[in-house]
Amino acid sequence: MTIKQKLDNFKALDLIKLGGEALEATKADYLAYNVDQLKKGKNKDGTQIGTYSTSKMGRDYAIYKHEKNPNAGLGNVDLINTGDMSEMLDFKLHSRLIETFSHDQKYNLLVGMYGNKFVGMPDEKLDTYRKKDFYPDFMPRVKSRLNA
């Protein structure tokens, strides 16, 4: 391959497109990190999603939820009950922004109650995803285009 061909390949390189392809290819991994975060009862900024009421009914529900998922801690909201919301997580790529959401019918209600900070990932999880999942898929795509 000549230097001119290499330079032409470099000029034709569309990193945003290749990044989108790598993101789609590692979608299950990306969403699994988000579900793990929900199981811990955390927003994408690392704060607690919320806590259950201290009323009798709230305490009883907190115990019920804690028995189902102790990872969030007693009394902490985890937004996982039937599993529909977390199983229907998805994302859309808008140029360089990833919009994470759920197709579950309760999603908009939950956003109204807790805000939209419970979808997405904290920086440390995002760094892990990038290193473990995204870059190993992305870099071979870049190299194959450069060497085409």
Side-chain angles (χ1 to χ4, degrees), residues 40-73:
K40 293 175 182 165
K42 301 288 185 182
N43 285 310
K44 66 182 172 188
D45 63 5
T47 61
Q48 225 32 67
I49 294 170
T51 55
Y52 293 110
S53 165
T54 56
S55 69
K56 167 87 170 100
M57 187 168 34
R59 287 191 313 267
D60 289 346
Y61 190 70
I63 291 168
Y64 161 77
K65 289 292 299 212
H66 185 68
E67 289 172 354
K68 285 183 79 169
N69 175 29
N71 295 319

Side-chain angles (χ1 to χ4, degrees), residues 43 49 79 85 89 99-102 104-119:
N43 285 310
I49 294 170
L79 299 183
M85 202 273 298
L89 278 178
E99 175 193 4
T100 309
F101 60 93
S102 178
D104 181 41
Q105 63 185 6
K106 298 179 297 294
Y107 177 72
N108 288 331
L109 174 69
L110 294 171
V111 168
M113 292 172 67
Y114 300 105
N116 66 352
K117 294 188 304 184
F118 63 86
V119 289

Side-chain angles (χ1 to χ4, degrees), residues 9-101:
N9 287 350
F10 183 75
K11 287 178 183 177
L13 196 61
D14 186 345
L15 294 177
I16 293 176
K17 180 179 182 240
L18 294 176
E21 290 172 5
L23 190 59
E24 281 295 328
T26 59
K27 183 180 214 169
D29 301 304
Y30 179 89
L31 296 174
Y33 284 107
N34 206 155
V35 171
D36 181 59
Q37 168 189 312
L38 290 173
K39 287 179 180 175
K40 293 175 182 165
K42 301 288 185 182
N43 285 310
K44 66 182 172 188
D45 63 5
T47 61
Q48 225 32 67
I49 294 170
T51 55
Y52 293 110
S53 165
T54 56
S55 69
K56 167 87 170 100
M57 187 168 34
R59 287 191 313 267
D60 289 346
Y61 190 70
I63 291 168
Y64 161 77
K65 289 292 299 212
H66 185 68
E67 289 172 354
K68 285 183 79 169
N69 175 29
N71 295 319
L74 181 61
N76 295 320
V77 173
D78 64 7
L79 299 183
I80 297 176
N81 192 28
T82 65
D84 290 347
M85 202 273 298
S86 59
E87 288 172 12
M88 293 184 193
L89 278 178
D90 201 356
F91 64 74
K92 287 182 185 175
L93 186 59
H94 304 280
S95 185
R96 296 180 183 188
L97 175 70
I98 301 170
E99 175 193 4
T100 309
F101 60 93

